[in-house]
Amino acid sequence: TLCFQAFLQMCNLPIQVVCRANAEYMSPSGKLPFIHVGNQVVSELGPIVQFVKAKGHSLSDGLDEVQKAEMKAYMELVNNMLLTAELYLQWCDDVTVEEITHPRYGSPYPWPLNRILSYQKQWEVRRKMKAIGWAGKTLDQVLEDVDQCCQALSQRLGTQPYFFNKQPTELDALVFGHLFTILTTQLTTDELSEKVKNYSNLTAFCRRIEQQYFEGHDKDSSATAPARSAKRSLLR
Amino acid sequence: MAAPMELSCWGGDWGLPSLHPESLTVMAYAKFSGAPLTVNTISNSWRAPKGDVPVLISEDIVISQPAKILNFLRKQKYNADYELSAKQGADTLAYIALLEEKLLPALLHTFWVEAENYCSVTKPWFASRIAFPLRFYLPGKMSRAALNRILLTRGGPPLCSLTEVEAQIYRDAKECLNLLSKRLGTSQFFFGHTPTTLDAFVFGFLAPIYKVCFPRVQLQEHLKQLPNLCRFCDDILTCYFRLTVSGHSPAGQDTADANLQKLTQLVNKESNLIEKMDDNLRKSPQHPPRKLTTLKLAAGGEGSSPLNRLSP
């Protein structure tokens, strides 16, 4: 969710974040999050970017063709590695599943619906992992993949303020969203956030975007409680 | 030096050393980095078709996925990415992710899910190369696995029917091909003049689309409109896979070539010698033929013995 907020803030478009339990069903594609503008509803990053572009706001106009290709490639890398690793950790690592994911996912519903829905989601995610070959991976291997991905991102970022030098793009929003979530979500182990913290330019990048785009909006944002309290610790 | 390494993978056809993208990637990387691999095409081995193709076996170590195989080769000092900068290494990872997310679903679909392609080309080809009785079961299993993968990674609620998913994945694949073409531009390989891991992966994914003759070929037609990618595939095939199907190791091939060359030179020299001798014979004064020729033959015994040997 954070990458969308970041993206829309970067485009200077004001947004209001609302949490709903049946959000997945309200969305046209079943995927979260989605935006509701006037009488149009658009979900997922790709279509949202197109939608915003059609309305006249675009972050990647200043890039040439090769850079656009690079940006798309890096976005796929983030989706492929970081997103899958996050899903794996949330749903395939037994300890995390028991202590954090099941309670959190099932919290809006009464028993036994909460257990049933979270088991269903877990089964779905495990099927997907099996199809792409991640089912056989151990936690250490997943962490190693995350490390490789962060290393690639860190090397690409170098000492620049944003991935494509002076201006933020969709890639910056996406990376910020994922890294911030990893850094601030409380899990049973800190290994995942430790991996990210190894790369100082990535943490500095997150801090910079947070300060620039989220400072004034703390009151409006309805980020979940752990994220809010952890956000303060990141600023420290 | 390193222990002998053996790669088991699917065989090839239509001018390619292998039809399987991952096998092709590993073979290309081995050629680029100079790793001496003996390639075994899977046909009659019960062990191999466990879904773990290609498989590298070196002494007692068995490694199965392309990324892990490449890592192993790099650790054995066969590194094609030696001259890349850190940023280029990062770009490699990113582009590989792009290939897997955007191009692989369409590739799987063209080979395994598209009914006409599967029934007329893929299934017979694989069935002919798998031992009885697995040949009746394995292609179907691979097809179901491919469909599963496509639906689980790409199919979501609005794209419920397969036709909508198909449209989306082919759009993504064509976009991916366009992006690759823009990135390659006019250079010979993705990072300059020497091929690297990224070139191996791109070749592995593109070559089957480019070369295999399917009845339904929308992806191939799109690829053919991108001449720099076609040229890229052709260059790698001609430079690195000269002997397409036999699977000789590169060193063996080179010595065979060198020997052939030497032999040709020797034969040429001999034929020149014979011509000279022929001329001498004609120019010499013509005495009654029999006696003199026998005399000449006897006198030039050593010189003319190659003549005797080589004449048909």
Side-chain angles (χ1 to χ4, degrees):
Chain A
T1 323
L2 221 44
C3 38
F4 294 85
Q5 280 177 263
F7 172 68
L8 292 166
Q9 303 264 8
M10 285 171 188
C11 297
N12 283 323
L13 295 170
I15 54 163
Q16 189 186 22
V17 177
V18 178
C19 288
R20 290 271 175 81
N22 62 341
E24 271 181 350
Y25 298 100
M26 282 167 72
S27 153
S29 74
K31 296 214 171 102
L32 290 179
F34 63 91
I35 58 173
H36 182 200
V37 179
N39 56 353
Q40 285 175 304
V41 185
V42 188
S43 66
E44 290 194 62
L45 188 60
I48 291 182
V49 170
Q50 304 272 38
F51 179 78
V52 166
K53 195 168 177 183
K55 297 285 179 188
H57 298 86
S58 173
L59 290 180
S60 49
D61 275 343
L63 302 179
D64 67 31
E65 293 296 335
V66 176
Q67 285 177 316
K68 277 192 190 157
E70 250 184 62
M71 185 182 81
K72 295 232 159 99
Y74 274 97
M75 284 170 74
E76 288 308 324
L77 179 67
V78 172
N79 276 333
N80 202 346
M81 291 270 190
L82 285 185
L83 186 60
T84 321
E86 281 165 24
L87 273 180
Y88 180 94
L89 209 60
Q90 273 187 327
W91 293 102
C92 301
D93 176 42
D94 295 321
V95 177
T96 318
V97 164
E98 272 307 308
E99 291 186 22
I100 299 182
T101 321
H102 271 320
R104 198 204 295 170
Y105 191 75
S107 58
Y109 311 102
W111 193 91
L113 199 58
N114 56 357
R115 294 302 264 180
I116 295 175
L117 286 175
S118 50
Y119 273 121
Q120 191 183 38
K121 177 85 182 180
Q122 181 177 17
W123 183 75
E124 254 178 56
V125 172
R126 286 210 171 157
R127 255 181 85 202
K128 182 173 169 178
M129 293 292 158
K130 199 167 163 198
I132 58 175
W134 276 58
K137 288 199 183 185
T138 62
L139 187 60
D140 286 331
Q141 284 170 329
V142 171
L143 289 174
E144 217 181 280
D145 284 339
V146 169
D147 191 47
Q148 226 185 20
C149 180
C150 290
Q151 192 184 34
L153 289 172
S154 173
Q155 280 162 354
R156 180 68 185 77
L157 183 62
T159 49
Q160 300 167 121
Y162 300 108
F163 278 94
F164 289 95
N165 212 3
K166 301 275 169 43
Q167 292 298 321
T169 56
E170 291 95 355
L171 177 62
D172 300 279
L174 189 66
V175 173
F176 170 72
H178 281 287
L179 290 183
F180 193 84
T181 316
I182 292 177
L183 286 170
T184 56
T185 312
Q186 303 277 354
L187 291 176
T188 48
T189 61
D190 280 333
E191 284 173 18
L192 194 58
S193 53
E194 285 305 314
K195 292 282 176 193
V196 178
K197 280 183 194 160
N198 278 336
Y199 300 99
S200 55
N201 62 348
L202 291 181
T203 41
F205 170 78
C206 289
R207 203 169 291 136
R208 197 183 315 125
I209 293 202
E210 195 201 349
Q211 280 170 347
Q212 208 163 348
Y213 294 100
F214 286 90
E215 281 257 83
H217 303 269
D218 253 345
K219 293 174 206 157
D220 297 343
S221 97
S222 51
T224 57
R228 217 182 288 138
S229 58
K231 219 193 271 186
R232 282 181 221 124
S233 65
L234 190 66
L235 274 176
R236 225 189 300 137
Chain B
M1 273 286 278
M5 296 184 283
E6 207 180 281
L7 183 73
S8 300
C9 58
W10 292 113
D13 213 337
W14 290 283
L16 293 176
S18 173
L19 279 204
H20 187 225
E22 289 162 359
S23 310
L24 209 51
T25 304
V26 175
M27 286 162 82
Y29 184 82
K31 296 271 179 188
F32 296 161
S33 61
L37 277 188
T38 32
V39 178
N40 290 332
T41 49
I42 302 175
S43 49
N44 292 318
S45 125
W46 282 88
R47 198 168 24 105
K50 272 188 184 169
D52 275 3
V53 176
V55 174
L56 182 75
I57 305 176
S58 169
E59 293 180 329
D60 293 329
I61 312 173
V62 178
I63 312 169
S64 65
Q65 284 163 359
K68 290 188 194 161
I69 297 180
L70 261 51
N71 268 341
F72 177 77
L73 288 175
R74 273 185 216 115
K75 284 188 191 143
Q76 303 286 322
K77 314 271 189 234
Y78 296 112
N79 191 356
D81 297 343
Y82 196 66
E83 294 172 0
L84 290 188
S85 69
K87 182 184 167 308
Q88 287 172 324
D91 282 351
T92 303
L93 269 184
Y95 278 100
I96 292 174
L98 184 71
L99 283 174
E100 281 179 359
E101 284 286 313
K102 298 279 183 184
L103 193 55
L104 186 60
L107 182 67
L108 287 176
H109 188 273
T110 308
F111 269 75
W112 295 101
V113 182
E114 173 70 60
E116 222 178 296
N117 292 347
Y118 175 63
C119 293
S120 58
V121 180
T122 319
K123 187 167 158 190
W125 194 89
F126 276 90
S128 67
R129 276 158 181 76
I130 302 175
F132 179 89
L134 274 178
R135 70 164 67 135
F136 298 116
Y137 167 67
L138 221 71
K141 180 173 170 217
M142 289 164 83
S143 169
R144 281 192 295 275
L147 181 62
N148 214 16
R149 184 181 172 138
I150 294 175
L151 285 179
L152 282 179
T153 51
R154 287 311 183 154
L159 304 173
C160 276
S161 69
L162 191 56
T163 43
E164 288 169 2
V165 179
E166 282 170 22
Q168 179 62 36
I169 57 180
Y170 277 104
R171 263 200 299 272
D172 284 342
K174 288 175 186 167
E175 196 197 320
C176 178
L177 290 177
N178 292 343
L179 291 176
L180 286 174
S181 178
K182 280 180 199 145
R183 175 63 184 79
L184 181 62
T186 49
S187 36
Q188 197 186 3
F189 298 110
F190 278 90
F191 293 114
H193 298 296
T194 44
T196 56
T197 307
L198 181 58
D199 299 287
F201 270 90
V202 174
F203 175 72
F205 281 80
L206 288 187
I209 302 175
Y210 182 37
K211 291 285 183 183
V212 180
C213 300
F214 282 120
R216 293 283 186 90
V217 284
Q218 49 167 317
L219 210 52
Q220 192 183 73
E221 281 160 13
H222 189 88
L223 180 57
K224 287 190 174 158
Q225 292 169 11
L226 299 167
N228 60 350
L229 291 180
C230 299
R231 192 242 323 137
F232 172 78
C233 290
D234 285 327
D235 278 349
I236 293 187
L237 278 173
T238 47
C239 295
Y240 291 94
F241 290 102
R242 234 175 296 129
L243 207 60
T244 49
V245 191
S246 63
H248 283 163
S249 65
Q253 180 55 29
D254 285 340
T255 47
D257 273 341
N259 285 342
L260 195 62
Q261 238 176 345
K262 277 185 201 160
L263 197 61
T264 326
Q265 280 172 354
L266 241 136
V267 170
N268 285 341
K269 269 189 208 159
E270 296 275 17
S271 56
N272 286 342
L273 211 63
I274 295 164
E275 278 177 21
K276 266 191 201 160
M277 279 167 39
D278 242 338
D279 282 345
N280 286 342
L281 214 58
R282 281 195 214 104
K283 282 177 201 160
S284 65
Q286 292 301 318
H287 289 282
R290 277 186 202 170
K291 279 182 196 169
L292 218 57
T293 44
T294 47
L295 266 176
K296 282 265 178 190
L297 278 172
E302 287 127 357
S304 60
S305 50
L307 185 107
N308 287 333
R309 260 189 276 131
L310 283 172
S311 56

